[in-house]
Amino acid sequence: MRLEKILSGPQVEISDYRASDREFCTEMWFHPENGRYLSDPDRAHVDDRFRQALDGLEDNKFGLYCVVRLKNGEPVGSCCLFPDGDGSWDIGYCVHRQYWGQAIGTETVSLLIDYVRSRGGKSITAEVAKANVPSNVLLKKLGFQVEGEGSFSKYNMPVRYDSLLYKLRL
């Protein structure tokens, strides 16, 4: 899937992921601190199956993979959206650690909310590790409500996180 246009906010723009974004994104996702609460593995646990999945992100038929950039074009994060067919969309997001605390995550999720709303979406869901305090605060600030609890594991690693399942009704 592809965005029909660049999503633009005061600080950032969200555009389709391209193969040329892979190095930036994997450095961020696989970093022990930056990717701590993602389901992605650290670099040591990436296998051929995971590499093959990375090779097709720009052409994924089931969802949108995007890169978040400052207005000057510098990449600062990533995000993804997956429609489920009944009007609900699931989102994920990651901000590069160099930009933590600068409202990049809030602006990114706000742009995703606007995008889903413009597509006629009825709700947005997100799963966040309970231990990921900044992300839990961010979602609550934007009106998401906890709908349940769950857990997830990091791919190919013996790391499991208890999680909160959030929902925003549009």
Side-chain angles (χ1 to χ4, degrees):
M1 295 178 68
R2 297 271 183 196
L3 293 171
E4 291 177 2
K5 63 178 183 169
I6 292 174
L7 309 180
S8 187
Q11 292 187 93
V12 302
E13 294 180 336
I14 299 174
S15 60
D16 290 316
Y17 172 92
R18 300 179 304 251
S20 59
D21 296 315
R22 183 175 176 165
E23 184 177 341
F24 166 77
C25 288
T26 56
E27 185 280 326
M28 180 175 60
W29 298 335
F30 301 160
H31 188 274
E33 182 181 15
N34 212 133
R36 176 181 300 146
Y37 299 119
L38 299 178
S39 60
D40 301 306
D42 62 24
R43 195 166 300 282
H45 291 87
V46 174
D47 60 10
D48 286 339
R49 182 175 167 212
F50 198 88
R51 279 187 205 88
Q52 288 174 350
L54 289 174
D55 287 340
L57 288 183
E58 64 271 19
D59 297 317
N60 189 289
K61 293 180 174 95
F62 304 106
L64 296 156
Y65 286 92
C66 304
V67 173
V68 182
R69 300 177 193 284
L70 295 178
K71 296 286 188 154
N72 67 8
E74 181 180 353
V76 295
S78 65
C79 58
C80 56
L81 302 105
F82 295 92
D84 73 2
D86 71 354
S88 185
W89 294 63
D90 192 57
I91 63 168
Y93 51 91
C94 182
V95 175
H96 194 282
R97 62 196 173 280
Q98 291 179 312
Y99 298 93
W100 288 351
Q102 297 180 34
I104 301 292
T106 300
E107 187 172 334
T108 297
V109 174
S110 294
L111 288 168
L112 297 179
I113 292 168
D114 292 344
Y115 178 80
V116 170
R117 190 175 277 129
S118 76
R119 311 293 284 165
K122 297 176 183 165
S123 63
I124 300 172
T125 59
E127 183 175 17
V128 178
K130 287 181 180 181
N132 187 347
V133 173
S135 197
N136 283 287
V137 168
L138 182 158
L139 291 175
K140 289 177 184 175
K141 176 172 72 172
L142 292 176
F144 284 77
Q145 296 184 355
V146 175
E147 293 278 314
E149 295 187 10
S151 65
F152 65 91
S153 297
K154 290 186 80 60
Y155 177 86
N156 206 27
M157 294 176 67
V159 177
R160 187 162 196 79
Y161 291 107
D162 291 330
S163 62
L164 294 174
L165 308 172
Y166 285 93
K167 188 170 201 170
L168 175 67
R169 287 175 176 73
L170 302 175

